Amino acid sequence: MGPSPGTTTTVDDPRTGRGRAPAGGLPVVRAIPHHPGSVRAARRIARTALREWGVDEDTTELALLVVSELVTNAVEHALPPVALHVERPTERTVHIEVDDGGPSSVQGAWCAGRAPEEGGRGGGIIDALAAAHGSRPLPSGASHWADLTTF
């Protein structure tokens, strides 16, 4: 189980590398509600961290788009809990990760109310913006991540 909603924590997990002292400050890990409105909250959390770390505005805007896509996917296609990780492992890299509770058998409200051609673009957006991205299984879900190179 991840952190409780609304908390900020740092982690020290040698298996994932999370918790090392990033170039811009301590990693941010926040549990966020499994709700469509959480995308806005996740963007606000990421913007605050990136601003504190002095990340340039162009990279910040791209990172916020990646945060939006990853959190939307977690809310629409996965089970809770959802946790956002934002790190700056080097001066030239921003790492964004969203953990979820694994695939849901029921689509979220956004998916249910849209035409099929309106979805399915998030992976392409992340692919175009990220220097690297991927997914990995967690004991009770999955983690989806993207690394962006700063300008």
Side-chain angles (χ1 to χ4, degrees):
M1 178 79 106
S4 59
T7 62
T8 301
T9 60
T10 59
V11 292
D12 189 13
D13 185 346
R15 294 171 295 132
T16 64
R18 291 183 182 149
R20 62 190 176 278
L26 294 174
V28 173
V29 180
R30 293 278 299 264
I32 54 178
H34 188 267
H35 182 274
S38 296
V39 173
R40 177 182 283 160
R43 288 174 58 93
R44 191 171 32 252
I45 292 162
R47 180 181 291 283
T48 298
L50 297 170
R51 185 176 289 143
E52 287 176 5
W53 298 336
V55 174
D56 63 274
E57 192 59 31
D58 289 337
T59 302
T60 296
E61 290 303 315
L62 297 178
L64 296 178
L65 183 53
V66 169
V67 166
S68 295
E69 294 300 332
L70 291 175
V71 172
T72 296
N73 285 344
V75 170
E76 287 299 303
H77 304 291
L79 298 168
V82 178
L84 171 68
H85 305 260
V86 183
E87 301 179 41
R88 190 168 187 200
T90 72
E91 282 292 327
R92 302 272 303 143
T93 307
V94 171
H95 179 81
I96 299 163
E97 194 159 340
V98 174
D99 301 340
D100 62 46
S104 175
S105 60
V106 177
Q107 294 297 310
W110 287 340
C111 289
R114 70 170 187 230
E117 65 274 4
E118 293 177 338
R121 296 184 184 100
I125 291 170
I126 292 170
D127 192 45
L129 300 179
H133 64 93
S135 299
R136 63 186 170 78
L138 296 174
S140 61
S143 183
H144 308 277
W145 59 272
D147 289 335
L148 285 83
T149 303
T150 61
F151 292 101

